[in-house]
Amino acid sequence: GDSESLIWMLCYYYKRNQKAMAKVTIEGKDYELDELSEKAKGTIASLQFVQAEIKRREAQLAVYKTAEIAYLRGLKEEIKED
C-alpha cells in the first residue's frame, strides 16, 4: 500500500570489504544498520514486527472473506431448495 511505499524498510545484505553489512532503505534512502543508534534499531525492529503483523492479519482477513463468500453461496443454494 501507500504507507508501505513511504515507510517500508527492506533489509538486505551485501558484500563490502569481505564483510556482510546490514543495510536498510527508508523512503528510498539507504542507511547502514551499524551506523544507527540503538533506539533507531529498536524502532526498526518494532516497525518490521508491526508490518509483519499487518500482513498476517491481511492474509487472515482474505481467508475469512473467502469463507464468507462460500457460506453465502451455500446459503443461497439452501434457500433455493426450500
Side-chain angles (χ1 to χ4, degrees):
D2 288 333
S3 63
E4 284 186 32
S5 64
L6 293 174
I7 305 172
W8 175 247
M9 287 178 258
L10 174 65
C11 286
Y12 62 95
Y13 291 91
Y14 68 99
K15 290 282 186 181
R16 189 171 91 180
N17 299 328
Q18 305 296 328
K19 180 179 169 189
M21 300 286 290
K23 187 176 179 184
V24 294
T25 302
I26 304 168
E27 295 182 341
K29 187 172 178 186
D30 293 338
Y31 299 89
E32 300 287 343
L33 274 180
D34 290 345
E35 295 173 0
L36 298 177
S37 69
E38 291 303 312
K39 183 176 180 181
K41 290 176 190 175
T43 301
I44 288 169
S46 296
L47 181 57
Q48 288 174 328
F49 171 78
V50 168
Q51 289 172 334
E53 282 298 300
I54 289 169
K55 286 186 182 292
R56 189 176 71 80
R57 300 289 174 137
E58 287 172 343
Q60 285 179 322
L61 184 58
V63 169
Y64 297 143
K65 286 183 180 263
T66 300
E68 178 186 36
I69 290 167
Y71 288 136
L72 285 170
R73 284 182 182 158
L75 181 59
K76 286 179 185 177
E77 290 299 315
E78 189 69 29
I79 292 171
K80 280 184 190 177
E81 293 174 8
D82 290 345

